[in-house]
Amino acid sequence: MRRFSILSTFAFTLGLLVQPVWPSFAQGYGEGLLNAIAYKPLPEGTAFSVQPLDNSDQNMRLKKEFEEVLTRKGFSISADAPLVITFETRDELGAYKTRDRRAILELNAHGGREGGEDARMRFNLYDSNSGGIFNEGKGETSVMTPSQYRLEVSIDNRANGKRHWEAWSVANLGQSDGATLIQAMIPEMVGNMGKTVTSRIFELF
């Protein structure tokens, strides 16, 4: 990479600075994010039936996990229970952004009371990544949102179809495979049934 520098004797006041933008994620490694809305109170001592929207082998294993967690928490399980817990799982692809603008001129000023006694202009002639005067560069790709796995759960009244509670949790797929992430989300879901929750970060592992 070759650069050509020109020293300037005057100060620059910069209103805009070009800085790298790092993605901001809701969860760190080993964490998930939970949101939930309570519509109607859950009756005391009621039994639950667990039903996946998709009867895949993976979801049937998760159904069993749901039932085991509910039982450990003191809830009753029955195929014809008055309240039905329905769940759905899916993965969501992340979003990416590519910057293809050339980085031709860099400005830097420091020193002195006005911060500009030692000012520099730097012309970028050639840069294989960001590009310069003599080339376009490869561009830069940044992750705006990561790929995630999502678990959606709802609790409905079997008799009248009215919804008591719904919730959704997400975790970044890079942490583990989808089935492991969902299994780790279930205890948090069960522990917050009937509550309204806003952007709660919880530990997965």
Side-chain angles (χ1 to χ4, degrees), residues 57-177:
D57 291 341
Q58 174 179 300
N59 281 352
M60 295 309 292
R61 289 191 294 269
L62 293 174
K63 174 181 183 295
K64 184 177 180 181
E65 180 69 19
F66 253 113
E67 293 172 342
E68 291 177 354
V69 174
L70 285 164
T71 301
R72 290 200 300 268
K73 295 286 187 178
F75 296 103
S76 300
I77 305 297
S78 174
D80 57 353
L83 292 182
V84 180
I85 298 176
T86 305
F87 71 89
E88 180 181 17
T89 62
R90 68 171 184 265
D91 54 351
E92 298 180 339
L93 294 178
Y96 302 87
K97 179 176 66 175
T98 300
R99 190 187 78 176
D100 56 4
R101 297 178 59 187
R102 296 178 183 178
I104 295 176
L105 177 65
E106 298 177 7
L107 302 176
N108 182 31
H110 63 275
R113 285 175 297 179
E114 302 299 326
E117 291 184 0
D118 185 6
R120 292 175 180 271
M121 287 190 306
R122 182 172 298 225
F123 289 96
N124 188 12
L125 299 181
Y126 182 92
D127 191 298
S128 59
N129 289 316
S130 63
I133 295 175
F134 298 128
N135 78 312
E136 294 185 1
K138 297 185 295 186
E140 298 177 1
T141 299
S142 59
V143 179
M144 298 176 64
T145 57
S147 296
Q148 297 180 323
Y149 215 78
R150 183 180 179 99
L151 172 64
E152 297 179 355
V153 178
S154 62
I155 301 178
D156 300 297
N157 189 295
R158 184 187 298 274
N160 56 30
K162 290 186 177 180
R163 179 150 297 180
H164 286 253
W165 185 74
E166 67 177 327
W168 57 99
S169 59
V170 295
N172 297 339
L173 268 174
Q175 304 181 68
S176 182
D177 62 278

